[in-house]
Every structure is written in structure tokens, then in C-alpha cells.
Amino acid sequence: STYNFILTSRPEPNVSLITLNRPKALNALSTPLMLEINKALDEAENDADIGAIVLTGSERAFAAGADIKEMKDKQFAEVYTSDFLQNWTRITQVRKPIIAAVSGYALGGGCELAMACDIILASPTAVFGQPEINLGIIPGAGGTQRLTHAIGKSRAMEIVLTGRNFSAKEAEAWGLVSRVVGEGEGEVVKEALKMASTIASKGRISVQAAKEAVNSAYELPLGEGLRLERRLFHPLFATNDQKEGMGAFAEKRKANFTNN
Ligand code: HXC
């Protein structure tokens, strides 16, 4: 497919890279841009060769938020009846792992987009924030929920209520990102692709089950989450990948998963 606001590529045989590419607007996440992300996610999800997805922006901006110019004149009736921001749900339904590689600004919807991914890697230049309060609104694509789960109530309240930005270092200390990578242009994407390759080399079925199980920790009470985990664990013994993985260990060789 050809896109206007994103670039897609396959820099590793089993990894799809989606690059936000609206540089003049610091990758502001307009509706047309979100629809393109969703289409690219659909393509990656439906491509049996792809085992993991990396989502990134530019050195200057992962994304500076939803498109303020697009939202500025919207009225309540319109946003309500059209369920404005429903386009943001698709990414949360993708079953393959998505790694956000964040350089520069990840503000408002940009921060929320990164948090909708499974893993966030940050460049030392990354700047996170939920500045919506400065615009007379609140985060609308998961910011009040995912940020609170990730960094705790007091910090999330501070960030959401003051609208101040926070650094890559803070994001790492607070557990929002799994790691800040070294300096250097392109470093965060390189690291994300490496991680995505590693994930893509595992069995697809167990990777998908693992993602579903970890995500359920956000949705379910502990007892229900543990029950779901067990229900996802048992059927893996019906897969060839389990026989291969454990067989390879016993034979002291590297497993070669066939995703069945
Ligand atoms: C539309 C945006 C934009 C945005 C930047 N631009 N962010 N356009 N929506 N969110 C545009 C600017 O208007 C400008 O266009 C160009 O990108 C470059 O931006 P500058 O402001 O000139 O760059 P700089 O001075 O370096 O400042 C960078 C910045 C600032 C600090 C990131 O752009 C900024 O504060 N942006 C808004 C951040 C924000 O409030 N995000 C939350 C949005 S609300 P021109 O045409 O002038 O060159 C949101 C709601 C979420 O996300 C709801 C759920 C999705």
C-alpha cells in the first residue's frame, strides 16, 4: 500500500516497521494519519511472516499529540455522535507485539499512542507528557488510565493536572519505559528492531498467548488473571512449538519454532 503520512518497511525478515512521517506537524496524529496506522497494523497482523511490529516517529518527534488544528472547532454533538477517537482502539486489539521506539516529543496523544504499545524504548532525547490540561481538555486516548497503571497515582496526577513534560530518565525511573538506549541517531529504532527480531524468533502461538496473559493483568482481578493464565498455559501442550522448544532443550540445541 502507499501512504501519505507514514512509511512502512520490513527491515528484518519477520519485523514490520511503521514510521510516522508528517514531519512539518511533528507527527500530529490527525484522523487520516490514525487510519493509516490502523491499515498498516492490519497488514502486519495479517502477514504470516511478521512476528513483531516496531512503531516509531522522527528524531525530533515520536508524535506531538492529536492534531490540535483538526480538533479546535469540533463541537460536542459531533465528537459524541461520531465517537471521536474510536480510531485509537485498533492498536490495542493487535495480537502481535508492538514496540514503540520513542525519540523527541511524545506528548498527549503521542504519549498515549506509545502507551498503547506493548513495550516502550526511549532515546535520551525523549520527552513525554500529557499537556491536554493546557488546552482545556483531558487525555482522551488512555492517558489517565495507562499512565496511572504505569507510574502510579501521585505521579500520574502530577503529570495530568500540571501538564508538565517529563524526561526519558524520569520515564525510566518510573517504569513507563523499559529502557533508555544509548545516544546516537537511530539508536532507539535499531534497539527496537533487535528486540522485535528476538521476539519474532520465538513461537508465534506462545508469544500471542503471553501478550494476552500479561495484558489481562490490567483488566482482571488477580484470581481471574491467574485462571486465564492457566487456561492459556495448558493448551500450549497441544502445539508442536512446545514439543520443539522442550525437545531442543533436552537435546542441547537451539529451538526452531514453526508456529503450529
Ligand atoms: C497540530 C501541531 C501539533 C499538534 C505541533 N504542531 N504539535 N499541529 N497538532 N499537536 C505543529 C505546529 O503548529 C507547527 O506548525 C509545527 O508543528 C512545529 O511545531 P512548533 O510548535 O513550531 O515547534 P516547537 O516550537 O519546537 O515546539 C514543539 C512542541 C509544540 C513543544 C511539541 O509544538 C507543542 O507544544 N505542540 C503541542 C503539544 C500538545 O499540546 N499536544 C497535545 C495535543 S492534545 P506550523 O504550521 O506553525 O509550522 C492531544 C489530545 C489527546 O493529544 C486526545 C486523544 C488522542
Side-chain angles (χ1 to χ4, degrees):
S1 302
T2 53
Y3 296 105
N4 295 312
F5 306 115
I6 64 173
L7 304 169
T8 58
S9 63
R10 190 183 295 190
E12 308 279 343
N14 304 112
V15 175
S16 168
L17 174 64
I18 302 174
T19 305
L20 308 181
N21 186 32
R22 205 187 159 205
K24 283 186 189 142
L26 301 184
N27 293 329
L29 300 160
S30 62
T31 298
L33 172 44
M34 287 310 299
L35 291 173
E36 289 193 357
I37 293 174
N38 290 346
K39 193 155 175 242
L41 290 172
D42 282 338
E43 277 185 21
E45 184 89 312
N46 293 327
D47 185 336
D49 290 339
I50 296 300
I53 301 161
V54 173
L55 179 63
T56 195
S58 67
E59 289 293 321
R60 189 163 168 226
F62 177 75
D67 191 324
I68 299 170
K69 291 163 192 168
E70 175 188 329
M71 292 185 288
K72 187 167 83 53
D73 296 320
K74 283 192 188 297
Q75 298 292 336
F76 162 73
E78 178 191 354
V79 295
Y80 181 75
T81 55
S82 70
D83 198 11
F84 178 56
L85 298 186
Q86 45 133 326
N87 300 324
W88 289 66
T89 307
R90 173 68 188 110
I91 190 166
T92 67
Q93 296 161 339
V94 173
R95 291 174 306 168
K96 294 176 182 176
I98 309 175
I99 303 171
V102 176
S103 288
Y105 296 113
L107 302 179
C111 189
E112 292 171 304
L113 184 64
M115 291 192 294
C117 297
D118 300 305
I119 299 168
I120 307 178
L121 288 185
S123 151
T125 66
V127 175
F128 298 89
Q130 298 289 163
E132 286 90 343
I133 206 78
N134 301 324
L135 300 168
I137 57 167
I138 69 170
T144 65
Q145 306 302 298
R146 292 201 179 92
L147 191 67
T148 307
H149 278 295
I151 72 176
K153 174 175 156 175
S154 185
R155 291 170 184 143
M157 281 289 191
E158 179 191 336
I159 294 306
V160 170
L161 296 180
T162 69
R164 81 149 169 102
N165 294 340
F166 57 102
S167 66
K169 214 180 249 177
E170 285 174 297
E172 184 180 42
W174 295 346
L176 180 68
V177 308
S178 58
R179 185 144 63 77
V180 180
V181 305
E183 295 186 29
E185 198 172 315
E187 190 65 23
V188 73
V189 177
K190 218 183 295 167
E191 281 295 319
L193 291 174
K194 216 189 287 174
M195 188 182 283
S197 261
T198 300
I199 293 169
S201 75
K202 316 296 182 193
R204 294 286 148 72
I205 300 171
S206 53
V207 165
Q208 190 172 309
K211 171 169 168 166
E212 183 180 349
V214 172
N215 273 336
S216 75
Y218 281 94
E219 312 251 348
L220 300 177
L222 181 61
E224 288 303 305
L226 291 170
R227 196 175 135 82
L228 178 76
E229 181 189 73
R230 191 69 52 82
R231 291 287 169 268
L232 287 167
F233 176 79
H234 286 156
L236 295 174
F237 286 81
T239 66
N240 288 326
D241 282 349
Q242 176 267 333
K243 298 293 174 291
E244 169 63 13
M246 294 191 181
F249 175 83
E251 292 162 23
K252 300 185 190 296
R253 60 175 175 83
K254 194 170 177 291
N256 177 27
F257 295 114
T258 49
N259 308 322
N260 61 358

